[in-house]
Amino acid sequence: NEDSVKPCHCYHRRPKFICLTTESHVTMRATEKFHFGLSDRARLWDSAEIDPDAEDWGNYIIIPEFGIEADLLANKSLSLQCYLHDNYNSRPAPGRLKNDAKTVIAIDYKF
């Protein structure tokens, strides 16, 4: 089992495509990561990140991810993953939804 929580601060600068200007602000970032071994060849994980605007706490992004992974080879170089990744933006760009979730099934190769 492995877990961690890490706070930090960031500076975001991104273009506003409609006005051809940029927007920038300082954010506070908190991340969390947890791994749980089900066996020597299978594991669960979750991670989460929250990035609120330091000057406007109502403007934030939350990115959680939950998944399971199973090794397909004994040397652990090839695995099958299935996970849910979500991206929630409290103030999305005009015409966009606040929530963007996806389910991913993938084969992972480690060099």
Side-chain angles (χ1 to χ4, degrees):
N1 299 347
E2 180 184 320
D3 61 359
S4 64
V5 176
K6 297 178 182 173
C8 70
H9 65 281
C10 304
Y11 178 77
H12 282 252
R13 183 180 171 143
R14 61 180 168 213
K16 285 184 161 184
F17 297 106
I18 296 171
C19 303
L20 298 176
T21 62
T22 60
E23 171 185 280
S24 60
H25 59 271
V26 175
T27 67
M28 304 300 288
R29 174 176 284 179
T31 62
E32 171 273 333
K33 195 176 272 192
F34 177 75
H35 292 191
F36 179 76
L38 298 172
S39 70
D40 63 331
R41 294 180 68 169
R43 60 210 144 274
L44 293 171
W45 83 87
D46 84 89
S47 65
E49 175 181 322
I50 181 166
D51 297 321
D53 184 337
E55 296 175 358
D56 180 4
W57 290 89
N59 183 17
Y60 58 89
I61 296 172
I62 300 175
I63 305 170
E65 185 174 281
F66 307 95
I68 188 166
E69 181 176 22
D71 296 324
L72 299 175
L73 299 176
N75 68 2
K76 300 185 179 190
S77 63
L78 191 66
S79 64
L80 179 63
Q81 298 178 342
C82 180
Y83 59 93
L84 173 68
H85 179 93
D86 189 18
N87 193 332
Y88 179 84
N89 187 338
S90 67
R91 294 191 186 147
R96 303 294 301 250
L97 298 175
K98 288 185 174 189
N99 208 37
D100 184 15
K102 61 184 171 185
T103 302
V104 178
I105 298 173
I107 294 179
D108 183 48
Y109 181 76
K110 297 170 187 78
F111 294 94

